[in-house]
Amino acid sequence: MNGAVRLLFAALGGYLLGTTPSADLACRLVTGGTVDLRSSGSGNPGGVNAKRLLGRRIGYAVMAADVAKGIAACRWGRGTAGDVGAHLAGVAAVAGHCYPLWTGFRGGKGVATSFGQCVATFPAYAPVDAALATSVARIPGLRRPALVSVAVSSAAWLAASVLWWRRGLPNLWGPRPTRALPLANAVTVLVIASRAAVMLRRREPDELALPR
């Protein structure tokens, strides 16, 4: 296969992995299909809503599965089309999670899957990303803590990726930092931002602001 075909396969595989309905599968296993995450709680088919409706263990399992989707997609992409393939597949996985074809393009927010992308392609920054997102979400008085947390952590993630690329800093097991790193992260941030815009337009509640 030539390079373009390999990149196409990397993106397609990443998207398909991203569309894996982790939360829906967990919900069906636990409730037999009597609970629909898209019409209950916050309406988001993700780990936080699953935790609220189905319990902590299920919620954390869904979050872990969504992170794993991002990691698996990047590994698939890297094996198929090298470092650029890893970045491309990671972006595609987030797009697949946010806009899965099988559910009319109505998916989750993509945050956990993007963290999986970060673990696979920017592991040197992953602990900082997790700590920053968690810390911002816990700031008291925020009307939309989840949205603010995602906005701040996404901006920092993007800025850090530019720094790593420009300085050539070490990246643990991830690909050598090139311009592909901030470019892929920028596209992922845009995908997540577009999903957040849909949430705001539909006036969907902020999950972290809902009563426990």
Side-chain angles (χ1 to χ4, degrees):
M1 290 189 294
N2 62 36
V5 174
R6 288 180 180 276
L7 289 173
L8 179 62
F9 270 94
L12 180 60
Y15 179 83
L16 291 176
L17 283 166
T19 64
T20 305
S22 312
D24 291 335
L25 291 173
C27 198
R28 288 173 189 169
L29 285 172
V30 173
T31 70
T34 59
V35 175
D36 182 5
L37 294 177
R38 289 178 173 79
S39 60
S40 305
S42 67
N44 182 63
V48 175
N49 201 27
K51 177 184 173 184
R52 177 174 287 106
L53 297 174
L54 306 176
R56 294 172 64 89
R57 286 200 309 173
I58 301 300
Y60 288 134
V62 170
M63 292 179 199
D66 287 342
V67 172
K69 290 194 301 187
I71 295 173
C74 293
R75 293 190 65 177
W76 157 261
R78 197 172 189 181
T80 304
D83 290 353
V84 174
H87 292 300
L88 183 60
V91 174
V94 176
H97 180 85
C98 293
Y99 300 105
L101 176 64
W102 332 116
T103 57
F105 302 104
R106 186 183 177 191
K109 294 183 297 184
V111 176
T113 304
S114 72
F115 182 68
Q117 177 189 352
C118 183
V119 169
T121 64
F122 197 9
Y125 184 72
V128 178
D129 185 50
L132 181 61
T134 302
S135 300
V136 172
R138 291 178 176 173
I139 295 176
L142 296 177
R143 290 187 60 189
R144 285 189 169 271
L147 190 61
V148 174
S149 171
V150 170
V152 172
S153 60
S154 294
W157 180 40
L158 184 55
S161 65
V162 173
L163 176 65
W164 253 253
W165 161 49
R166 299 295 293 178
R167 297 286 182 86
L169 298 176
N171 195 28
L172 300 177
W173 58 82
R176 182 177 65 85
T178 65
R179 68 181 63 189
L181 176 63
L183 179 60
N185 292 352
V187 177
T188 293
V189 168
L190 287 175
V191 172
I192 292 174
S194 70
R195 181 63 184 87
V198 171
M199 181 187 76
L200 290 172
R201 187 168 64 249
R202 293 176 177 172
R203 297 184 179 179
E204 296 177 14
D206 187 299
E207 290 183 309
L208 299 183
L210 290 172
R212 299 288 175 171

